[in-house]
Amino acid sequence: MQFMLLFSRQGKLRLQKWYVPLSDTQKKKISREVIQIVLARKPKMCSFLEWRDLKIVYKRYASLYFCCAVEDQENELITLEIIHRYVELLDKYFGSVCELDIIFNFEKAYYILDEFILGGEAQETSKKNVLKAIEQADMLQEEAETPRSVLEEIGLT
Amino acid sequence: MRGLAVFISDIRNCKSKEAEIKRINKELANIRSKFKGDKALDGYSKKKYVCKLLFIFLLGHDIDFGHMEAVNLLSSNKYTEKQIGYLFISVLVNSNSELIRLINNAIKNDLSSRNPTFMCLALHCIANVGSREMAEAFAGEIPRILVAGDTMDSVKQSAALCLLRLYKTSPDLVLMGEWTSRVVHLLNDQHMGVVTAAISLITCLSQKNPDEFKTCVSLAVSRLSRIVSSASTDLQDYTYYFVPAPWLSCKLLRLLQCYPPPEDGAVKGRLVECLETILNKAQEPPKSKKVQHSNAKNAILFEAISLIIHYDSEPNLLVRACNQLGQFLQHRETNLRYLALESMCTLASSEFSHEAVKTHIETVINALKTERDVSVRQRAADLLYAMCDRSNAKQIVAEMLSYLETADYSIREEMVLKVAILAEKYAVDYSWYVDTILNLIRIAGDYVSEEVWYRVIQIVINRDDVQGYAAKTVFEALQAPACHENMVKVGGYILGEFGNLIAGDPRSSPLVQFNLLHSKFHLCSVPTRALLLSAYIKFINLFPETKSTIQEVLRSDSQIRNSDVELQQRAVEYLKLSSIASTDVLATVLEEMPPFPERESSILAKLKKKKGPGAVSVNELEEGKREGGELNGGGERGGDSSAIASTPSPSADLLGLRAGPPVTAAAPSAGSLLVDVFSEAGVNDDGFLRFVCKNNGVLFENQLLQIGIKSEYRQNLGRMYLFYGNKTSVQFVTFTTTVTCPGDTLVLEPLIEGGAQVQQVINIECLTDFSDAPLLNIKFRYGGALQNLTLKLPVTINKFFQPTEMASHDFFQRWKQLSLPQQEAQKIFKANHAMDTEVLKAKLLGLGMALLENVDPNPENFVCAGVIQTKAQQVGSLLRLEPNAQAQMYRLTVRSSKDTVSKRLCELLAEQF
């Protein structure tokens, strides 16, 4: 896989993961282009399309589009299920995930993705194992988290 | 982190882009002051601010500070702080070398911490960044972690994919060597997650070094067999919607596609069994109604079909695959229809399944007409093109033509090319061909490229049995009140040549023809008008009775005083010619065009080009040639015969024409002897040095294949023609070539053009000076075995020399100017060949520099001067070669304004004399 993008129906990018080295300008250009193409597709159309020398595989979940760009020889259907498994992971972790969860906890969305896919390839496809790794990390987090000053408590710093 | 949540809410509440930018700037100022402040920030605050910066960056704003704080977080012993630090680094890598050193330090500490969570974080960071610096620092360490017995499974998984990423960015730094067999054996690991991660690494490594990793084939087969035969509950959490380990299954099937069918009968039998089971399962009723179930199941099925197509040796499986795909063609899921069309395209090219694919023609035509999604229609058009042969060409071409009337603009040009190619390839009667192309122009004139209408004219001119029909048809087509300019071009040309063939009919008498053409004249562009003027002068020769009418037209101010210089010149010259030349002279000058040299259809090349650069299958091209040759009346191959001059006779029959026996059946006993001809790994550069001083010749030859080269260079540009010759009597299957360029100093644009032989043209641009030659990788299958060969392409820096003539005085003055020690390179070496002055001169001239006479005081010595043209700069170079006949030695001195150039030239030349 070369990159994965999550964006809203309004075209706002919610998560971006790049597995090939590209400059920031290239990334912006590609995201804009891909978002535009995918948003223009009608609901019953197929989930795959050719784009440059890559294949775009996408699926819409509620207000969010999940979109992967894979190399030509990659398997489209299994990529579609990569997307679904990621959605399942987010859903299980956040408890019926919605777009806001991903906006406010973007770092978590990235951590979960890193446990699932690394360097563009599936690292661990078992839902249990991925969530176990994330939950372990969360345990460490809770131990470390101690109350802060009053200002912090109301979010002013 | 409340602060972060509040900030995100604020941003979301911003009503306008300006308000958002204002809020962000305020936050940036705040964070900056915190980071700069005297008070040391605690880890928690640092984490929060770094996270805010990350959020701002992900919104699309530039971030130019905070990297240092993020790096500091890496060495925190609090997990969440470390985690945010790593995330920031992964997203916002900065090639600032100072930071990379610090980052690498932190990673090193975490890798050696023996804390698996920390190790995974560090490995994720390497895999996300994947920079060369990281490869340099860790490529040696990670394989150790990957195979060590006491490494936790989760760490192994990360290590495998981390290594894969480093291998992709810096293959030269990742050396598996001693680890190879232990890495391959990860396929046997008990933990499915480890196997899933490791197989991606193994697949990538196998593609590059198939021989070293070939033991993975039997391991992959047995793993696959265990998964395929397991019940849906056996694999617990690795079962996905009742499908056991779909990701791993797909990856195993993909890995097997790096290799030819297993030679070991038992392994092969087991694999065939797996493939059959997968095909059988497709027929079973679904275990779940969920789309995830069918997707996962079909993902494996499609991957299995890809493997079956890759092997292309099991007729039974190929036909079963085809039938299965046939069912999908009518499936209610658009995705499946799309994939079935795509996959069938490759099945159509296998001789075992071509006929089976053809049975679905009606369904595919229906898809072309009724699919609502343009990308699916495109696939249907591709498949029709792929399944087309002599038996169904008329039907398919007719359907494609009628589809063209309503086709989406985005695919019209490609459709036009395809129709034109099919019409030419499968034309039995030429009136059909002419009709088809004229229809094409009528329906989609704007998308008919020059190649297409040139081609129809070439064919009409070369075939006298179609000329009368063509004249009649264009005449009729031109009757339409509005016809496309391309039609006027074809009409003008054909009537100018063959109008006499229909002039007997009073309805198309010479004057009627002329008036018809001339009625279009004023609506046409300058090039078409120019063509029409030539048609007119041809008319004067064909039909003397039109002379006065045409002369009058030529004489009119709008022609003879036309502001366009080309039109004016034609009018003036044609008028003069028609007035002063005798009938005999006129007849000689305006004689019918001679037949065009038989040559490859340029349309096919254009279609290839549209498909984009990269590996192009020569095989398909070859097929086009064969058919094209037939259409052109077969036999003579005029024009490009020079192309094979460099490749001796046996290869005239390039790549084994299909007229020969079918492929696998004919993989003869001789074949098995030769299967391993290319097995020696590594780059073959025997031929390379022979091309330093010459541009044409045979680059490579063995029992199977001969590769000839012709090349030409101008300034910093070059063009290389590669000729591939099949020396065997059977066909090479899936012949592909790829050109890679070290360091990207040259831009290569591989494209295959159809010459009279199978040739490949590579365009070369020299961007800056270079030492490493581009590599040509050739893969094809012969007798069922994959042949893989890598050659150095003889592109050397001296090819871009412009010779510079100069007098003795100038030469020595420049010689002195280039006196820095690094600007000079010198070599003293023994003569390898006879020291013949004329041979030496020829070689030095071949080098591309000017050979300067009467410059060196010693007449035995040779001096040369030249400028290397690269896109980035010009590099002046001077050379002096001093032969010592007595000692049979040479001293070679090269001076140039760039040290690397002197050094490289010296190395190249020292091998030449």
Side-chain angles (χ1 to χ4, degrees):
Chain A
M1 191 188 301
Q2 302 228 338
F3 58 85
M4 185 189 234
L5 303 176
L6 261 67
F7 49 88
S8 69
R9 234 168 0 151
Q10 291 74 34
K12 284 238 181 215
L13 199 52
R14 295 302 182 204
L15 181 141
Q16 43 175 320
K17 189 79 190 181
W18 304 85
Y19 298 110
V20 282
L22 292 167
S23 71
D24 288 342
T25 358
Q26 282 170 312
K27 288 179 188 171
K28 279 186 189 164
K29 188 165 169 272
I30 291 174
S31 324
R32 252 200 318 268
E33 210 178 312
V34 170
I35 291 175
Q36 200 187 1
I37 295 174
V38 171
L39 287 180
R41 311 247 322 153
K42 298 194 185 76
K44 282 277 171 187
M45 287 187 163
C46 83
S47 314
F48 322 123
L49 52 111
E50 289 182 332
W51 177 78
R52 302 196 185 168
D53 52 349
L54 299 176
K55 293 196 278 208
I56 302 280
V57 177
Y58 71 92
K59 188 160 180 181
R60 186 177 147 187
Y61 289 84
S63 61
L64 268 189
Y65 283 88
F66 289 69
C67 168
C68 297
V70 296
E71 291 84 359
D72 185 47
Q73 74 277 8
E74 285 288 315
N75 188 312
E76 291 96 338
L77 286 174
I78 208 74
T79 311
L80 208 50
E81 293 318 300
I82 285 260
I83 291 177
H84 188 75
R85 171 110 300 177
Y86 182 47
V87 174
E88 284 184 347
L89 288 167
L90 292 172
D91 199 59
K92 186 102 185 176
Y93 180 80
F94 288 111
S96 48
V97 66
C98 69
E99 192 180 342
L100 281 180
D101 291 321
I102 296 174
I103 296 172
F104 280 94
N105 302 287
F106 68 96
E107 78 283 11
K108 288 282 187 270
Y110 277 97
Y111 297 153
I112 296 173
L113 188 57
D114 269 355
E115 288 295 337
F116 176 38
I117 299 172
L118 193 58
E121 300 282 343
Q123 172 175 223
E124 176 55 85
T125 59
S126 150
K127 195 153 64 172
K128 266 190 213 144
N129 289 354
V130 172
L131 289 172
K132 205 164 68 193
I134 297 291
E135 275 154 19
Q136 270 172 1
D138 280 350
M139 301 268 281
L140 288 168
Q141 178 155 357
E142 269 152 30
E143 285 161 24
E145 212 86 316
T146 47
R148 297 277 126 188
S149 68
V150 184
L151 279 182
E152 165 63 27
E153 207 54 36
I154 55 171
L156 282 181
T157 56
Chain B
M1 289 183 283
R2 276 289 307 268
L4 176 67
V6 169
F7 174 59
I8 296 176
S9 298
D10 281 1
I11 295 286
R12 286 180 50 77
N13 290 333
C14 286
K15 292 278 181 292
S16 65
K17 194 82 194 159
E18 290 72 37
E20 183 185 305
I21 292 175
K22 209 171 145 204
R23 178 67 186 88
I24 284 170
N25 284 337
K26 186 178 148 208
E27 193 63 40
L28 286 175
N30 172 38
I31 299 173
R32 214 186 292 260
S33 76
K34 296 282 184 201
F35 283 168
K36 279 213 185 114
D38 314 326
K39 227 172 33 164
L41 286 176
D42 60 5
Y44 177 84
S45 314
K46 226 183 267 174
K47 174 179 89 173
K48 185 178 64 191
Y49 294 130
V50 165
C51 205
K52 280 183 179 176
L53 285 178
L54 186 57
F55 180 78
I56 294 170
F57 177 78
L58 290 169
L59 278 179
H61 301 271
D62 292 333
I63 294 295
D64 54 5
F65 68 101
H67 301 79
M68 202 56 205
E69 284 73 14
V71 173
N72 285 340
L73 285 177
L74 297 184
S75 41
S76 162
N77 49 14
K78 292 216 177 85
Y79 180 73
T80 57
E81 289 168 17
K82 195 186 269 293
Q83 203 181 16
I84 291 283
Y86 272 125
L87 181 59
F88 184 93
I89 302 293
S90 303
V91 176
L92 272 124
V93 246
N94 195 314
S95 54
N96 182 328
S97 59
E98 191 58 24
L99 272 181
I100 284 285
R101 204 174 49 79
L102 292 171
I103 296 168
N104 280 356
N105 254 338
I107 291 177
K108 198 164 281 169
N109 288 336
D110 283 335
L111 282 184
S112 50
S113 69
R114 311 195 65 77
N115 172 339
T117 353
F118 286 7
M119 285 173 89
C120 281
L121 271 186
L123 289 167
H124 290 181
C125 180
I126 302 175
N128 281 322
V129 177
S131 70
R132 190 155 178 94
E133 290 87 348
M134 287 193 172
E136 277 162 3
F138 303 110
E141 174 65 14
I142 297 172
R144 219 184 304 275
I145 297 178
L146 175 59
V147 298
D150 57 348
T151 305
M152 297 267 294
D153 289 330
S154 60
V155 178
K156 271 190 194 168
Q157 287 166 276
S158 301
L161 293 174
C162 183
L163 201 55
L164 171 63
R165 175 70 196 262
L166 293 183
Y167 184 75
K168 282 184 183 162
T169 30
S170 319
D172 53 317
L173 295 176
V174 178
L175 303 168
M176 297 314 293
E178 46 179 323
W179 310 116
T180 304
S181 105
R182 293 171 72 181
V183 169
V184 171
H185 276 87
L186 289 173
L187 288 177
N188 265 341
D189 202 285
Q190 294 205 316
H191 191 283
M192 294 283 272
V194 172
V195 189
T196 308
I199 193 168
S200 297
L201 173 68
I202 295 168
T203 305
C204 182
L205 291 167
S206 297
Q207 278 162 350
K208 299 282 161 51
N209 329 282
D211 280 345
E212 286 168 47
F213 284 83
K214 67 176 170 223
T215 48
C216 72
V217 172
S218 59
L219 291 179
V221 170
S222 60
R223 189 95 212 190
L224 180 70
S225 158
R226 268 179 283 158
I227 296 174
V228 169
S229 57
S230 64
S232 55
T233 48
D234 288 357
L235 302 173
Q236 293 152 358
D237 209 33
Y238 288 93
T239 294
Y240 179 83
Y241 291 87
F242 303 102
V243 181
W247 285 280
L248 182 53
S249 305
C250 285
K251 286 181 175 201
L252 285 163
L253 289 161
R254 159 102 6 233
L255 171 61
L256 291 171
Q257 286 169 61
C258 303
Y259 290 92
E263 280 160 25
D264 181 331
V267 177
K268 183 158 182 205
R270 209 163 169 199
L271 177 56
V272 169
E273 215 169 277
C274 287
L275 295 172
E276 278 169 348
T277 314
I278 294 171
L279 285 167
N280 291 340
K281 279 190 181 172
Q283 295 300 329
E284 288 169 12
K287 292 197 177 69
S288 152
K289 285 210 172 79
K290 288 253 166 59
V291 67
Q292 283 75 27
H293 170 72
S294 78
N295 278 352
K297 192 166 136 184
N298 291 328
I300 300 173
L301 177 65
F302 276 105
E303 207 58 66
I305 292 177
S306 295
L307 182 63
I308 293 170
I309 296 171
H310 168 77
Y311 286 161
D312 196 12
S313 60
E314 300 286 330
N316 172 36
L317 290 176
L318 282 161
V319 170
R320 283 193 67 187
C322 186
N323 294 339
Q324 182 59 52
L325 294 176
Q327 291 180 16
F328 286 158
L329 286 182
Q330 316 209 40
H331 202 279
R332 61 190 163 77
E333 281 272 327
T334 314
N335 288 345
L336 282 181
R337 295 197 304 276
Y338 175 95
L339 293 175
L341 290 165
E342 189 183 40
S343 191
M344 251 194 195
C345 247
T346 37
L347 273 178
S349 60
S350 163
E351 57 175 313
F352 300 117
S353 47
H354 184 80
E355 288 303 318
V357 171
K358 273 168 62 184
T359 59
H360 299 287
I361 183 165
E362 297 301 336
T363 321
V364 182
I365 287 173
N366 199 36
L368 186 66
K369 286 179 178 160
T370 57
E371 281 291 348
R372 278 189 292 175
D373 183 346
V374 52
S375 35
V376 184
R377 290 198 295 274
Q378 167 86 62
R379 288 285 150 272
D382 286 348
L383 178 54
L384 282 180
Y385 178 75
M387 67 161 72
C388 192
D389 63 19
R390 205 169 291 280
S391 72
N392 56 18
K394 284 202 175 168
Q395 185 187 8
I396 286 180
V397 166
E399 292 296 345
M400 286 172 101
L401 270 176
S402 78
Y403 173 59
L404 251 180
E405 302 201 37
T406 53
D408 313 76
Y409 294 105
S410 55
I411 63 172
R412 281 195 182 185
E413 191 184 352
E414 197 181 319
M415 289 288 292
V416 165
L417 287 173
K418 284 185 165 158
V419 170
I421 290 166
L422 292 179
E424 180 180 337
K425 230 170 144 178
Y426 300 116
V428 187
D429 88 68
Y430 294 91
S431 48
W432 175 71
Y433 171 74
V434 170
D435 283 343
T436 304
I437 301 297
L438 294 185
N439 264 328
L440 209 50
I441 296 176
R442 198 163 23 221
I443 294 167
D446 283 344
Y447 299 91
V448 172
S449 57
E450 303 222 302
E451 286 86 349
V452 174
W453 75 263
Y454 287 172
R455 190 70 186 155
V456 66
I457 285 174
Q458 280 175 12
I459 286 173
V460 169
I461 285 180
N462 288 12
R463 309 241 7 147
D464 43 20
D465 52 343
V466 75
Q467 290 160 354
Y469 181 79
K472 181 166 161 284
T473 324
V474 286
F475 178 78
E476 279 160 12
L478 287 172
Q479 305 283 345
C483 60
H484 195 272
E485 190 163 336
N486 279 334
M487 188 69 88
V488 179
K489 289 177 183 164
V490 176
Y493 203 107
I494 289 183
L495 292 181
E497 293 294 326
F498 310 114
N500 56 327
L501 299 176
I502 56 168
D505 188 329
R507 284 167 300 175
S508 52
S509 71
L511 262 176
V512 175
Q513 287 185 37
F514 171 75
N515 287 332
L516 180 60
L517 279 180
H518 199 54
S519 69
K520 316 281 180 195
F521 187 91
H522 305 279
L523 301 168
C524 292
S525 64
V526 168
T528 309
R529 290 185 189 194
L531 186 151
L532 285 176
L533 289 179
S534 300
Y536 296 169
I537 186 73
K538 289 242 166 186
F539 266 45
I540 293 183
N541 175 46
L542 286 180
F543 317 115
E545 65 267 38
T546 59
K547 183 169 169 177
S548 57
T549 317
I550 291 175
Q551 279 182 333
E552 209 168 298
V553 168
L554 292 175
R555 206 177 287 124
S556 72
D557 278 358
S558 62
Q559 307 298 348
I560 210 159
R561 291 181 201 279
N562 196 296
S563 61
D564 184 89
V565 67
E566 175 68 31
L567 293 180
Q568 191 188 91
Q569 186 172 0
R570 286 194 190 208
V572 170
E573 287 178 3
Y574 291 160
L575 184 60
K576 206 71 187 162
L577 182 66
S578 68
S579 338
I580 59 170
S582 69
T583 333
D584 286 353
V585 172
L586 211 55
T588 319
V589 173
L590 300 172
E591 204 180 358
E592 190 180 303
M593 292 296 280
F596 284 85
E598 291 298 342
R599 67 171 166 226
E600 197 44 61
S601 168
S602 48
I603 315 174
L604 195 64
K606 188 166 164 99
L607 182 68
K608 288 273 155 202
K609 217 154 98 184
K610 274 181 68 69
K611 288 284 182 187
V616 182
S617 156
V618 178
N619 212 25
E620 196 179 328
L621 180 75
E622 186 274 325
E623 196 190 334
K625 184 196 74 180
R626 175 178 61 91
E627 306 284 357
E630 234 165 279
L631 174 68
N632 292 339
E636 340 90 317
R637 293 218 166 270
D640 286 285
S641 61
S642 63
I644 44 158
S646 57
T647 47
S649 53
S651 52
D653 181 64
L654 276 176
L655 293 187
L657 296 180
R658 261 236 296 236
V663 191
T664 14
S669 51
S672 46
L673 280 178
L674 296 175
V675 168
D676 280 331
V677 178
F678 294 134
S679 63
E680 68 267 70
V683 178
N684 181 322
D685 61 353
D686 300 346
F688 176 75
L689 283 169
R690 283 186 279 119
F691 286 86
V692 172
C693 294
K694 64 175 185 176
N695 287 335
N696 305 330
V698 177
L699 176 66
F700 174 85
E701 183 161 12
N702 69 1
Q703 297 96 312
L704 301 183
L705 177 72
Q706 186 193 51
I707 303 170
I709 280 196
K710 278 177 71 166
S711 48
E712 55 201 32
Y713 295 89
R714 246 188 69 232
Q715 307 273 10
N716 68 325
L717 301 176
R719 177 168 293 173
M720 181 175 277
Y721 298 85
L722 293 164
F723 302 96
Y724 300 98
N726 181 347
K727 296 174 65 179
T728 69
S729 55
V730 289
Q731 193 176 20
F732 291 162
V733 188
T734 56
F735 194 95
T736 54
T737 65
T738 345
V739 177
T740 46
C741 226
D744 284 333
T745 46
L746 290 146
V747 180
L748 296 167
E749 207 186 298
L751 52 101
I752 294 210
E753 263 174 24
Q757 301 297 333
V758 175
Q759 75 174 53
Q760 181 181 22
V761 183
I762 298 172
N763 287 324
I764 302 164
E765 183 179 8
C766 179
L767 301 178
T768 177
D769 72 286
F770 62 96
S771 300
D772 292 333
L775 297 178
L776 170 71
N777 178 263
I778 300 163
K779 283 201 180 88
F780 62 91
R781 289 180 52 216
Y782 172 70
L786 183 72
Q787 308 288 336
N788 189 349
L789 166 72
T790 304
L791 296 169
K792 265 192 194 176
L793 278 183
V795 181
T796 46
I797 186 71
N798 64 292
K799 301 292 181 196
F800 304 97
F801 258 127
Q802 287 277 101
T804 320
E805 293 290 344
M806 56 179 78
S808 174
H809 172 76
D810 293 335
F811 181 86
F812 285 105
Q813 194 179 2
R814 290 187 198 194
W815 185 264
K816 280 192 200 107
Q817 281 166 0
L818 296 171
S819 59
L820 293 173
Q822 66 269 28
Q823 287 176 329
E824 182 181 286
Q826 192 173 67
K827 256 199 174 137
I828 298 171
F829 52 92
K830 242 187 144 40
N832 283 322
H833 305 281
M835 295 174 100
D836 178 330
T837 313
E838 289 310 310
V839 174
L840 283 177
K841 273 189 185 166
K843 281 191 176 166
L844 288 169
L845 283 172
L847 184 67
M849 301 175 88
L851 183 59
L852 306 176
E853 305 276 359
N854 306 324
V855 167
D856 200 291
N858 179 350
E860 299 292 311
N861 293 349
F862 299 92
V863 292
C864 303
V867 179
I868 289 175
Q869 308 279 340
T870 75
K871 195 177 178 212
Q873 65 191 125
Q874 301 191 332
V875 184
S877 305
L878 303 171
L879 171 154
R880 193 180 199 191
L881 181 69
E882 300 162 87
N884 180 339
Q886 218 170 3
Q888 286 288 305
M889 300 278 282
Y890 291 101
R891 180 162 73 182
L892 172 71
T893 317
V894 180
R895 287 187 177 185
S896 53
S897 50
K898 204 161 175 202
D899 50 345
T900 45
V901 171
S902 309
K903 204 165 144 263
R904 183 63 186 154
L905 284 173
C906 210
E907 285 164 8
L908 287 171
L909 274 176
E911 307 289 333
Q912 300 300 318
F913 303 105

